């Protein structure tokens, strides 16, 4: 009797540890995918030019002579209006990749443009900055590197008075940061980090959103964990970021989205996540999640999916930093409203943005992994059936749903009794006939845990031809041992 119980406990411990390893691997893969995807993103602010509102914004291919002519007119035109018009024409030409190449090949072209950027004529400065912005949007790193002589001036102008000009400089810097390591090597000693930190207290929403974008680009660089994030955390930036993500009437969606991604990259760097926890990042994110669920219920959902993705990821990653013994001390991790809010969002995105379901389920997995309280909430709020309804959507969704169910079952017999009898076993019989090895493997793991704690479920499994469902996977070497273990548990108890 004692020997058999020890055997069961050993099997259970192995299953739980395997679940945790898989969760860590899945988290690492998702973080890596997001970082690589975001590194190629750039922003373009062509809507800032009023003369383009009439539809005259098509890129114009300019030859070398035309580029030289526009530069000459911009520098030495008879009046400011003519000079500005020449820069507008040049900017439209720089929207074309071939014109960009022509421009950077021309000797003295960048020197002329920088001279106009630093002139004492505000309109010429703005148009010169827009030309640089077009160049910064190029997909060629050589074009970005050609802009190096302008970067120190762009940084200087971040402390200026024109919010429009500051916004343009921030987006241009953000584009240049992401394109070239040479640009980042120059910007760091020039003081880009303190320059960006200084912008965080701007009263202008457009500036804050542009700042979030530039900062997120910088935080993704390979230099960030060593050279950027430590100094950011030593500044007041984190407190201001969290303030800008606080739910309330002053919350701006665009700003919150940008800084949520910034927070995501800081968390993924693992430089000092204990500091994030001590500054209240977890309750801020939890309250933001509740606010998002309220917005979904009110159908006030414009742009909600843009905020949900980074918030889900921030919470998911930050939860892995909370020690297991401290889970119960975190008030937001004992509040069943978190689980209820997450399900409201899952149901909402099921209709509006199904691609976000896996992000939400990954968060649910991390919430329930070490929290018996939230597992109890899932059961008391009758959320198991809605969870099971997600199983047929895709293999990725199935694995995540099954993993969450494993988190509940491994908490012990009292939790299994809440799941059995019910629709769980019939759903698992359906997943066993699928061809996806990971789905079947996770189903086997869940059944093994369920049978160990609830032997009656094993008898029902045998009565419903469960062993026959397993036969189709007998030749799968990755599943063979788990199938054998499950057969023995089902038959012998």
């Amino acid at each position: 009797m004692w020997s058999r119980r020890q055997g069961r406990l050993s099997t259970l411990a192995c299953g739980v540890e395997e679940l945790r390893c898989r969760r860590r691997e899945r988290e690492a893969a998702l973080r890596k995918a997001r970082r690589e995807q975001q590194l190629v993103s750039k922003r373009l602010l062509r809507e800032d030019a009023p003369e383009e509102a009439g539809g005259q914004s098509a890129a114009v291919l300019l030859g070398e002579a035309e580029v030289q002519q526009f530069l000459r007119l911009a520098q030495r035109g008879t009046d400011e209006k003519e000079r500005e018009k020449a820069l507008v024409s040049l900017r439209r030409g720089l929207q074309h990749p071939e014109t960009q190449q022509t421009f950077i090949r021309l000797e003295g072209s960048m020197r002329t443009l920088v001279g106009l950027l630093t002139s004492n004529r505000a309109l010429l400065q703005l148009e010169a900055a827009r030309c640089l912005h077009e160049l910064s949007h190029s997909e060629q790193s050589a074009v970005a590197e050609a802009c190096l002589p302008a970067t120190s001036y762009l940084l200087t102008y971040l402390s200026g008075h024109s919010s429009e000009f500051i916004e343009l400089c921030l987006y241009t810097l953000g584009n240049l940061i992401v394109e070239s390591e040479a640009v980042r090597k120059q910007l760091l000693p020039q003081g880009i980090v303190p320059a960006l930190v200084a912008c965080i207290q701007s009263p202008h929403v457009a500036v804050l959103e542009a700042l979030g974008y530039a900062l997120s680009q910088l935080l993704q660089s390979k230099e960030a964990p060593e050279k950027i994030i430590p100094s950011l955390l030593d500044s007041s930036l984190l407190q201001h970021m969290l303030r800008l993500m606080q739910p309330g009437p002053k919350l701006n969606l665009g700003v919150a989205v940008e800084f949520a991604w910034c927070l995501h990259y800081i968390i993924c760097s693992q430089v000092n996540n204990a500091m994030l926890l001590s500054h209240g990042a977890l309750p801020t994110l939890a309250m933001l999640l509740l606010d998002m669920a309220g917005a979904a219920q009110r159908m006030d959902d414009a742009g909600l999916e843009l905020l949900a993705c980074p918030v889900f990821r921030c919470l998911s990653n930050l939860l892995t930093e909370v020690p297991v013994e401290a889970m119960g001390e975190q008030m937001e991790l004992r509040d069943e409203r978190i689980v209820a809010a997450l399900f409201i969002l899952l149901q909402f995105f099921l209709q509006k943005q199904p691609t976000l379901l896996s992000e939400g389920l990954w968060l649910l997995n991390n919430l329930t992994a070490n929290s018996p309280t939230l597992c109890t909430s899932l059961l008391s709020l009758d959320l198991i059936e809605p969870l099971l309804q997600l199983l047929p959507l895709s293999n990725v969704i199935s694995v995540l749903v099954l993993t969450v169910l494993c988190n509940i079952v491994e908490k012990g017999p009292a939790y299994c009794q809440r799941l059995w009898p019910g629709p769980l076993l019939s759903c698992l019989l359906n997943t066993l006939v699928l061809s996806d090895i990971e789905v079947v493997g996770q189903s086997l793991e869940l059944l093994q845990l369920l049978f160990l704690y609830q032997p009656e479920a094993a008898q029902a499994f045998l009565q419903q031809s469960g062993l026959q469902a397993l036969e189709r996977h007998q030749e799968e070497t990755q599943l063979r041992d788990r199938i054998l273990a499950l057969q023995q548990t089902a038959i012998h108890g």
Side-chain angles (χ1 to χ4, degrees), residues 16-86:
V16 172
E17 185 54 39
E18 188 176 346
L19 282 173
R20 288 173 180 159
C21 287
R22 289 182 185 178
R23 183 166 61 250
R24 286 193 291 268
E25 290 170 4
R26 201 154 45 238
E27 290 164 5
L30 282 169
R31 291 173 194 160
K32 182 174 183 292
R34 178 60 199 179
R35 287 171 66 89
E36 291 177 349
Q37 176 188 351
Q38 187 71 358
L39 279 172
V40 298
S41 72
K42 290 191 175 187
R43 301 284 174 85
L44 196 57
L45 292 184
R46 286 179 186 161
E47 69 274 16
D48 282 357
E51 73 279 356
E52 290 176 4
Q56 303 175 21
S57 59
V60 179
L61 176 60
L62 300 179
E64 186 174 311
E66 292 170 298
V67 172
Q68 287 177 323
Q69 180 188 5
F70 288 136
L71 283 172
R72 187 167 55 252
L73 284 172
Q75 194 175 25
R76 302 173 187 154
T78 55
D79 56 39
E80 188 169 341
K81 189 172 183 180
E82 184 182 33
R83 296 172 70 186
E84 183 188 355
K85 186 178 179 181

Side-chain angles (χ1 to χ4, degrees), residues 144-156:
E145 290 172 18
C147 297
L148 283 173
T151 57
S152 62
Y153 299 106
L154 293 172
L155 287 176
T156 300

Side-chain angles (χ1 to χ4, degrees), residues 48-331:
D48 282 357
E51 73 279 356
E52 290 176 4
Q56 303 175 21
S57 59
V60 179
L61 176 60
L62 300 179
E64 186 174 311
E66 292 170 298
V67 172
Q68 287 177 323
Q69 180 188 5
F70 288 136
L71 283 172
R72 187 167 55 252
L73 284 172
Q75 194 175 25
R76 302 173 187 154
T78 55
D79 56 39
E80 188 169 341
K81 189 172 183 180
E82 184 182 33
R83 296 172 70 186
E84 183 188 355
K85 186 178 179 181
L87 277 174
V88 170
S89 298
L90 178 62
R91 171 167 55 82
R92 288 179 181 161
L94 290 175
Q95 294 171 16
H96 198 292
E98 289 185 35
T99 305
Q100 294 172 355
Q101 294 293 331
T102 299
F103 179 87
I104 66 171
R105 284 196 303 265
L106 274 176
E107 187 178 353
S109 59
M110 186 57 70
R111 185 168 60 250
T112 301
L113 193 58
V114 170
L116 292 163
L117 178 70
T118 57
S119 70
N120 58 2
R121 304 283 185 175
L123 291 176
L124 294 180
Q125 278 188 306
L126 186 59
E127 278 305 328
R130 285 174 175 159
C131 288
L132 281 167
H133 184 66
E134 292 294 344
L135 290 168
S136 77
H137 198 257
S138 171
E139 295 179 1
Q140 301 297 320
S141 59
V143 177
E145 290 172 18
C147 297
L148 283 173
T151 57
S152 62
Y153 299 106
L154 293 172
L155 287 176
T156 300
Y157 292 140
L158 294 184
S159 58
H161 300 293
S162 168
S163 61
E164 181 184 7
F165 198 37
I166 294 171
E167 179 192 9
L168 185 58
C169 290
L170 284 166
Y171 279 118
T172 303
L173 285 166
N175 289 344
L176 293 174
I177 287 165
V178 79
E179 188 57 51
S180 169
E181 185 177 352
V183 173
R184 294 194 298 275
K185 281 185 176 178
Q186 176 160 310
L187 285 169
L188 285 171
Q190 285 178 345
I192 188 170
V193 173
L196 293 180
V197 170
C199 291
I200 194 72
Q201 297 190 59
S202 171
H204 302 285
V205 168
V207 170
L208 291 172
E209 191 169 346
L211 169 63
Y213 166 72
L215 192 59
S216 71
Q217 300 293 71
L218 192 62
L219 288 169
Q220 294 170 85
S221 66
K222 64 181 182 181
E223 306 91 349
E226 183 181 346
K227 298 181 179 179
I228 297 164
I229 294 175
S231 57
L232 287 178
L233 293 178
D234 286 340
S235 72
S236 61
L237 184 82
L238 179 60
Q239 295 94 309
H240 287 293
M241 280 175 52
L242 294 175
R243 173 180 57 80
L244 293 168
M245 293 169 61
Q246 286 281 354
K250 292 185 178 180
L251 179 72
N252 177 272
L253 179 66
V255 173
V257 168
E258 297 297 350
F259 283 109
W261 280 119
C262 290
L263 189 60
H264 168 66
Y265 298 129
I266 293 172
I267 293 168
C268 288
S269 74
Q270 297 185 306
V271 170
N272 192 349
N273 285 340
M275 176 181 282
L276 301 185
L277 291 170
S278 67
H279 279 75
L282 206 53
T284 297
L285 291 164
M287 292 303 294
L288 196 51
L289 187 76
L290 295 177
D291 193 62
M292 287 161 49
Q297 286 182 309
R298 296 189 304 270
M299 300 305 291
D300 181 18
D301 59 319
L304 190 60
E305 73 283 357
L306 300 175
L307 183 58
C309 189
V311 170
F312 284 167
R313 291 185 181 188
C314 283
L315 272 169
S316 296
N317 291 331
L318 207 52
L319 283 167
T320 64
E321 303 292 333
V322 180
V324 174
E325 62 275 10
M327 289 290 283
E329 300 170 8
Q330 297 280 346
M331 181 64 69

